[in-house]
Amino acid sequence: MKKLCFVVQGVTFLKSIFTLILFSNNEKIKPVIFCMRKRSGKSYDNLDQKKDYIENLIREFKVNCEVVWCDNQNQALDYMMKNNLRSIVCQDAHKHGKVFCDNPEISVFSIGVGFDTLHHANDVRLGRIKNQSYPDIVYFPSEKIKDKFLDLVGSYPSKLVSVGSPIFDHEFFVNKVKKDRKVVTFFVTLQSLVT
């Protein structure tokens, strides 16, 4: 199996990354999962509070993987370099994976989640970003969000691909409550992206 690193930096990051991890063995990938214990300034999003949940899902899905708990991205990068691991999947790597983007030896695959990705595009458009390093590939949840991104930035040095989003593709992350009648869950996007 080929090893591929994933960085999960908070509970909210589970939604974009964890589905990929759970099904990675099906694609002959052994995930190396970097779980960041704490998220600075966002204690509600600390991953250490979901340790049992994460470990139970890994066992339930029988995922052949390595789980490495870290305090920061530099620890994850050190682990990668020591173990000759050169590819990582991040959520919105332009912001949440800068240490990996800054290292030319690492291939960075960014899951663009929408809001952060479009905010980044707007910052690029307005010239707020200086000395920026970029992920190798950005995966968008839809062609519409990719097009909106390109409308804002004009051009971008990363390869841009629209493939769908794990957030929208699985029910793991929707709280299940027994109801007397059926309900529909609507995942909200930017108002300008929907008719």
Side-chain angles (χ1 to χ4, degrees):
M1 278 193 174
K2 221 164 64 168
K3 287 187 177 182
L4 176 61
C5 299
F6 294 84
V7 61
V8 184
Q9 299 179 88
V11 174
T12 54
F13 290 71
L14 288 173
K15 295 176 182 177
S16 63
I17 301 292
F18 216 58
T19 306
L20 298 171
I21 291 168
L22 293 179
F23 295 104
S24 59
N25 290 166
N26 295 349
E27 299 302 319
K28 297 185 178 26
I29 293 170
K30 180 178 181 179
V32 176
I33 310 162
F34 297 113
C35 296
M36 300 296 155
R37 288 183 184 91
K38 306 274 185 206
R39 188 153 180 222
S40 179
K42 297 186 177 185
S43 58
Y44 66 87
D45 205 29
N46 287 345
L47 203 55
D48 59 359
Q49 66 187 345
K50 289 288 190 180
K51 187 173 184 175
D52 291 340
Y53 173 74
I54 292 167
E55 290 172 355
N56 287 338
L57 268 178
I58 288 170
R59 274 193 299 276
E60 179 184 334
F61 281 83
K62 299 176 178 73
V63 181
N64 177 11
C65 66
E66 295 173 35
V67 179
V68 181
W69 287 87
C70 301
D71 294 314
N72 57 58
Q73 290 181 357
N74 286 322
Q75 287 178 350
L77 182 61
D78 288 345
Y79 186 95
M80 289 179 72
M81 300 312 278
K82 286 177 189 166
N83 291 283
N84 199 31
L85 301 167
R86 297 295 189 258
S87 299
I88 192 162
V89 177
C90 300
Q91 175 181 313
D92 290 309
H94 57 271
K95 179 177 182 181
H96 301 299
K98 292 219 27 82
V99 72
F100 307 110
C101 291
D102 289 342
N103 188 314
E105 294 181 49
I106 304 292
S107 294
V108 181
F109 306 98
S110 181
I111 305 300
V113 174
F115 289 120
D116 281 351
T117 307
L118 293 179
H119 289 158
H120 170 66
N122 195 49
D123 287 342
V124 169
R125 179 182 69 87
L126 295 173
R128 293 182 186 153
I129 306 221
K130 306 289 184 231
N131 302 320
Q132 175 74 13
S133 53
Y134 299 93
D136 295 278
I137 300 176
V138 180
Y139 296 97
F140 290 89
S142 72
E143 197 66 33
K144 201 175 231 184
I145 292 175
K146 177 184 163 196
D147 290 345
K148 182 67 174 174
F149 181 89
L150 282 170
D151 284 346
L152 289 168
V153 298
S155 66
Y156 198 74
S158 304
K159 181 177 180 180
L160 307 177
V161 180
S162 176
V163 293
S165 171
I167 292 176
F168 305 129
D169 292 342
H170 218 286
E171 87 261 2
F172 288 138
F173 308 108
V174 177
N175 291 331
K176 296 174 182 87
V177 178
K178 191 163 183 122
K179 301 270 187 195
D180 293 334
R181 59 182 187 216
K182 291 183 178 185
V183 296
V184 174
T185 302
F186 178 68
F187 293 94
V188 182
T189 186
L190 295 174
Q191 287 182 346
S192 64
L193 298 178
V194 293
T195 59

